[in-house]
Amino acid sequence: MSVFLETTEGDLVIDLFSEESPKGCLNFLKLCKIKYYNQCIFHFVHNGFIIQTGDPTNTGKGGSSVWGVIEGEKKRYFEDHFSPKLKHNKRGIVTMVNKGPNQNGSQFAITVRGTDLEHLDNKNMIIGIVEEGIDIVENISEAVTDEKGRPYENIRILNTEILEDPFDDPDGLVIPKVQEETEIKKESGRLEKEEIIQLTEKKVTVEEKEKESIKSNSDLLTILGDLPDSNITPPENVLFVCKLNPITEDEDLEIIFSRYGKVLSCEIVRERETNSSLGYAFIEYEKKEQAERAYVKLNNVLIDDRRIKVDFSQSVSKQIYQNNRKRMFQQSQVIESKNGGKLISLGVHNLNPFMQQQKKPQQQLQKKKKTNDKFVLKKSAKVWSSGTNFVFGMESVNVPQVKEIISESKTKTKHRHKHRHKHKHKHKHPHKRKHKHSHTKEKEKN
């Protein structure tokens, strides 16, 4: 003999003890049959103890037995019947809630735990147990309540269905042919499940719009070149440290943080002009786990009489810097020779100031005897430059294009050498003229 309860939190299946508690089970079954419990809220919830419902007035003071529904107030309550076999020693026990001895109506409770409930034995009449949905009972017990134990969110019984009924209907019981929708009385300060769902959907919609706005801004910055990627995220192995004492040095900070892993870089941010500490630093670890361990251990620790704050870095400046370096060499080409040699030609359009200051890039490419159109590079060769084309290589190459580049570079270098020679000659010539002029003036005086 079972009853199916549909609630706003989920479905419950209750098995009834019809042999041990026949009168209590008959009362519960017939009230379910006439849909007496529909829209009843769980008006009292005690986390880890019980959840209580079954009052159509939703006050905890109402409710009537099935005989009271048929005959009126004089039959509102019915007497107790206790079985020595039934104890409050399990989770999900369904027990009647009475106003006193032999004053059982329609209200019932479900136990959330199975221990320390002996005081309910021979006081509250057990009628069944939750066979399916005990997790729903636990969820209901965790609802947020006011000081009287009433949830702020109205958790309701939506419908009841009898799966098996061995009892005859009492005389005068009117069973509704069509289920009528019970009007829900809204109360101030209480929310229904549907309202919470609507509010949640609105909140999700607002958050999605904010994410879309952030995404569109990131896409715009990506197009403009300020961000390398719209989905860029800060590194997980870098910590941000603030509230440092100005006297704290990089070496000291690195020694402290290196206790929890290998530190790749430790840099205190300083002013450019005065080189004084700005009170914060970035520390990069080799692994993410090391950064997490350092965060747990060193947050709010005293260093040089200052209590520092440690958090994970939200900076993406390093990724942007690395991306800008890659963008400098957009027109790169890798040319491989037949014998495994490699040459990389990089077209550079926008050199940074540091590279522009290198007026004489080292020309370490050496031409040897011509053998099957091969050009051999020194093993120590690093870079050969002609204008804005940089050529990197370490081994022999077999590329006709390289010969043209080298010949062009030689003519340009010869032209530069001639120009410098003429310039030096012009500089010496006026000096001689000046010397002759001074000599003639002395002869005239004499």
Side-chain angles (χ1 to χ4, degrees), residues 337-374:
S337 64
K338 292 180 181 180
N339 63 348
K342 186 180 292 185
L343 180 142
I344 304 173
S345 177
L346 303 177
V348 183
H349 295 286
N350 298 317
L351 299 179
N352 63 23
F354 174 76
M355 294 181 70
Q356 288 175 357
Q357 289 174 5
Q358 294 181 337
K359 296 179 181 178
K360 299 180 181 178
Q362 294 180 354
Q363 184 175 348
Q364 296 183 359
L365 183 63
Q366 181 181 4
K367 183 179 176 181
K368 289 192 176 181
K369 291 183 179 181
K370 193 173 182 181
T371 309
N372 296 327
D373 293 332
K374 289 185 180 180

Side-chain angles (χ1 to χ4, degrees), residues 312-323:
F312 285 90
S313 173
Q314 297 299 314
S315 174
V316 294
S317 58
K318 182 171 286 189
Q319 291 96 313
I320 295 173
Y321 171 72
Q322 292 174 351
N323 180 72

Side-chain angles (χ1 to χ4, degrees), residues 237-250:
N237 61 328
V238 178
L239 293 178
F240 171 74
V241 184
C242 62
K243 296 189 176 180
L244 290 171
N245 195 318
I247 64 172
T248 304
E249 296 294 335
D250 302 71

Side-chain angles (χ1 to χ4, degrees), residues 290-302:
Q290 298 168 348
E292 291 174 347
R293 188 160 58 248
Y295 166 73
V296 173
K297 295 291 185 181
L298 294 176
N299 192 27
N300 291 322
V301 169
L302 281 172

Side-chain angles (χ1 to χ4, degrees), residues 73-86:
E73 186 67 23
K74 60 181 179 179
K75 293 286 186 175
R76 181 180 177 184
Y77 302 112
F78 67 97
E79 65 277 6
D80 295 322
H81 183 272
F82 301 112
S83 171
K85 297 180 181 179
L86 302 178

Side-chain angles (χ1 to χ4, degrees), residues 27 31-32 34-44 52-66 68-69 76-77 96-97 105-108 150 154-157 160 182-187 192:
N27 174 69
L31 290 176
C32 290
I34 64 175
K35 310 299 181 184
Y36 188 80
Y37 292 124
N38 285 20
Q39 301 303 329
C40 287
I41 69 169
F42 287 84
H43 59 267
F44 178 75
Q52 185 175 330
T53 184
D55 177 13
T57 65
N58 296 327
T59 61
K61 299 177 181 179
S64 173
S65 67
V66 66
V69 173
R76 181 180 177 184
Y77 302 112
M96 296 300 297
V97 177
S106 63
Q107 296 187 41
F108 64 94
R150 180 167 178 168
N154 288 333
I155 305 171
R156 296 181 181 271
I157 298 175
T160 57
T182 308
E183 185 180 354
I184 299 175
K185 296 179 181 179
K186 292 187 177 181
E187 307 170 59
E192 299 295 332

Side-chain angles (χ1 to χ4, degrees), residues 46-49 89-92 111-117 119:
H46 192 294
N47 191 0
F49 178 41
N89 57 0
K90 294 180 181 179
R91 294 190 306 162
T111 61
V112 181
R113 67 172 187 257
T115 56
D116 301 327
L117 298 175
H119 61 283

Side-chain angles (χ1 to χ4, degrees), residues 227-286:
L227 282 179
D229 183 9
S230 60
N231 297 320
I232 190 170
T233 56
E236 297 178 338
N237 61 328
V238 178
L239 293 178
F240 171 74
V241 184
C242 62
K243 296 189 176 180
L244 290 171
N245 195 318
I247 64 172
T248 304
E249 296 294 335
D250 302 71
E251 295 79 8
D252 302 333
L253 200 63
E254 184 175 355
I255 291 170
I256 294 170
F257 277 83
S258 61
R259 299 175 187 173
Y260 305 101
K262 184 178 179 181
V263 176
L264 300 180
S265 65
C266 177
E267 181 182 359
I268 296 176
V269 182
R270 303 177 181 276
E271 289 184 1
R272 291 184 179 179
E273 297 179 357
T274 62
N275 199 33
S276 58
S277 171
L278 295 177
Y280 64 93
F282 291 96
I283 298 172
E284 182 180 0
Y285 279 95
E286 187 178 23

